[in-house]
Amino acid sequence: MSENDDNAPWWRGAVIYQIYPRSFRDSNGDGVGDLRGIIDGLGYIAGIGVDAIWISPFFTSPMDDFGYDVADYCNVDPIFGALSDFDALVEQAHRLGLKVIIDQIYSHTSDRHNWFAESRCDHTNAKADWYVWADAKPDGAPPNNWQSVFGGPAWSWDARRRQYYLHNFLTSQPDLNLHNRDVQDAILTVARFWLDRGVDGFRLDALNFAMHDPQLRDNPVAAYGDRSPARTFDYQQHTYNQSHPDIAGFLERIRTVTDGYSDIFTVAEVVGENPLAEMKAFTRPARLGSAYNFDFLYANKVSARQVKASVSAWGGDAREGWPSWAFSNHDAPREPSRWAPAALREQAAKLYLMVLASLRGDAFIYQGEELGLPQADVPFEALKDPEAIANWPHTLGRDGARTPIPWRSGAPQSGFSSAPPWLPVDPRHDALAIDVQDADPDSVLNFTRKLLRIRRASAALRLGDISFDDAAEILAFTRRHGDERRLCVFNLTDAPHPIPRGLAANAQPLIAVGKQAGDTLAPFSGFIAQPG
């Protein structure tokens, strides 16, 4: 099936640029990026050619998990600015033709949230059932065997209530009880607050952690083989602490709210080893618009077979939503460092952006990906990520993907801030700064700009069907929308491979990277073409 270009919502086929506010741009010299810094950089982002920005959390927070522990859903943390700054940001983004998507964290709050402060007081207060509380076992042990993502039991004892509370992440991130209709109503009020301020959509964080098994049954043991996992979380199948079927009903309530506004985009982050069924359930009609998972974000390598399998799972059935794809983000190491040798990282960075921009679905580009930044080296003494610190050196952690963006080569802090930044700038990033790449016609940045112009001009690349060639080593597919076709051919390996016979005959390349000799593609090479 093909989508109708005239009737498709703005977000189908969109390219969305993720901003991690702490590390994008610092406007006031305190070493931390802020909303005014984002405003200063919006012209740069619009010039890349994306359709929207997604801003990671900027809400009031003690920053135990750097904003994903929310203490006030309807305010801006002072380190980032004020609500007036956010309003100015939305106004400027819209003036530049950019939609604005923000994170919403509905599965948990900070333990500093007023809701939790009231809930923990006793068993009879108005919010006593707003979080997940449970009695200890007779011997004082936690209610069941559930484990936290960040290590150790997912239960902490609270002496005020003399009960345990559930936290799937940090102990300071208690889980909301979204089975409670009053909690859902409060969350929907939060959504309306930001929609009324002009946002164009929500990215729903860790959505499948939003509801638990009310019977608190033990999770079964995972089959992890001879190698014991580094995290206790990975010893279990997460049958009961996440992915409850009632999440779907809550999403329908969210959809009812967003349908009261114009063209609102909703995308779910779905965590887990087998997320496809859940993603499709979340994006059925009357629920969310899109979903993405960690197929590529945590992959140590990428192959033609893997891309085909992931993308082919979304065939365009009327009962499924629209897929989204991301190769890097604030939680995952940057893909050039995961997938390519150091000597070929610039070329590989261009190749991966081509692949991302040509897949059927929405494309998320993480800040710095358009510069080809490698994963930053962050020494132990400079780490801020609680997971990395707790599990050093066995967990790589997230700080290496969160270091500041280099704006001006040779400037203090590479132009990010006039003060020492919250995470150090990797010296290797200075040579890849925006000012350097802006002046270099062959840079990853200028390649990205050209690539996104080609995508925006092509209904086939934005909205079309996708059909794969059967080649084993070469990733080759055709995008089709009406009479328009685009041929996409990529060699993701470190060895040359032949292009399938006749596939590229008389094709007119629109953009290419690497080398092609006759019918053979060099390693980390590829092209997008108009078929002959």
Side-chain angles (χ1 to χ4, degrees), residues 32-103:
V32 178
D34 46 48
L35 296 181
R36 283 285 162 189
I38 295 174
I39 294 171
D40 292 343
L42 284 175
Y44 162 73
I45 295 171
I48 297 170
V50 303
D51 302 288
I53 55 173
W54 152 31
I55 311 174
S56 290
F58 50 85
F59 317 111
T60 307
S61 168
M63 300 295 165
D64 291 345
D65 195 21
F66 298 103
Y68 285 92
D69 49 324
V70 179
D72 184 347
Y73 282 111
C74 297
N75 213 336
V76 172
D77 194 275
I79 200 169
F80 296 124
L83 276 171
S84 58
D85 296 318
F86 180 78
D87 293 339
L89 189 161
V90 172
E91 182 180 356
Q92 177 65 2
H94 287 167
R95 188 179 297 118
L96 292 169
L98 294 169
K99 303 290 187 179
V100 179
I101 299 161
I102 64 171
D103 253 312

Side-chain angles (χ1 to χ4, degrees), residues 159-347:
R160 298 167 184 81
R161 283 189 52 141
R162 296 184 179 170
Q163 283 186 306
Y164 282 96
Y165 67 87
L166 175 66
H167 55 87
N168 277 301
F169 299 95
L170 296 174
T171 58
S172 59
Q173 292 172 296
D175 272 55
L176 286 164
N177 178 18
L178 276 165
H179 291 290
N180 184 327
R181 187 85 171 185
D182 290 340
V183 177
Q184 291 189 20
D185 289 345
I187 288 298
L188 296 177
T189 298
V190 170
R192 291 188 189 94
F193 175 87
W194 292 108
L195 291 167
D196 288 342
R197 299 195 93 86
V199 303
D200 302 289
F202 299 130
R203 179 256 189 190
L204 304 181
D205 178 70
L207 184 60
N208 51 345
F209 281 95
M211 289 187 186
H212 65 292
D213 170 36
Q215 298 179 51
L216 303 182
R217 287 171 284 188
D218 280 350
N219 278 331
V221 176
Y224 51 81
D226 296 333
R227 185 177 180 183
S228 60
R231 303 185 304 174
T232 56
F233 182 79
D234 297 323
Y235 280 81
Q236 297 178 357
Q237 299 175 47
H238 300 287
T239 307
Y240 297 118
N241 67 312
Q242 64 185 69
S243 306
H244 193 278
D246 287 354
I247 294 173
F250 175 53
L251 300 185
E252 290 170 5
R253 297 196 71 198
I254 294 175
R255 178 61 178 267
T256 299
V257 169
T258 59
D259 279 351
Y261 298 79
S262 178
D263 286 337
I264 300 302
F265 175 52
T266 49
V267 57
E269 176 195 43
V270 182
V271 182
E273 292 186 3
N274 300 294
L276 185 63
E278 201 162 13
M279 294 168 70
K280 291 195 174 186
F282 288 173
T283 58
R284 283 179 185 160
R287 295 177 187 169
L288 304 181
S290 188
Y292 76 90
N293 62 17
F294 286 73
D295 276 3
F296 302 110
L297 288 167
Y298 282 172
N300 291 324
K301 60 181 179 179
V302 66
S303 67
R305 188 184 308 276
Q306 178 190 7
V307 175
K308 289 178 195 174
S310 294
V311 178
S312 297
W314 296 85
D317 187 285
R319 294 169 297 177
E320 72 182 26
W322 181 253
S324 289
W325 308 104
F327 290 172
S328 287
N329 72 9
H330 64 290
D331 282 333
R334 294 185 178 276
E335 83 272 15
S337 294
R338 282 183 284 131
W339 296 344
L344 291 174
R345 277 183 189 157
E346 180 179 337
Q347 179 176 322

Side-chain angles (χ1 to χ4, degrees), residues 378-394:
V378 181
F380 177 78
E381 60 272 15
L383 289 176
K384 298 294 192 297
D385 177 14
E387 182 181 13
I389 293 169
N391 297 308
W392 178 269
H394 301 293

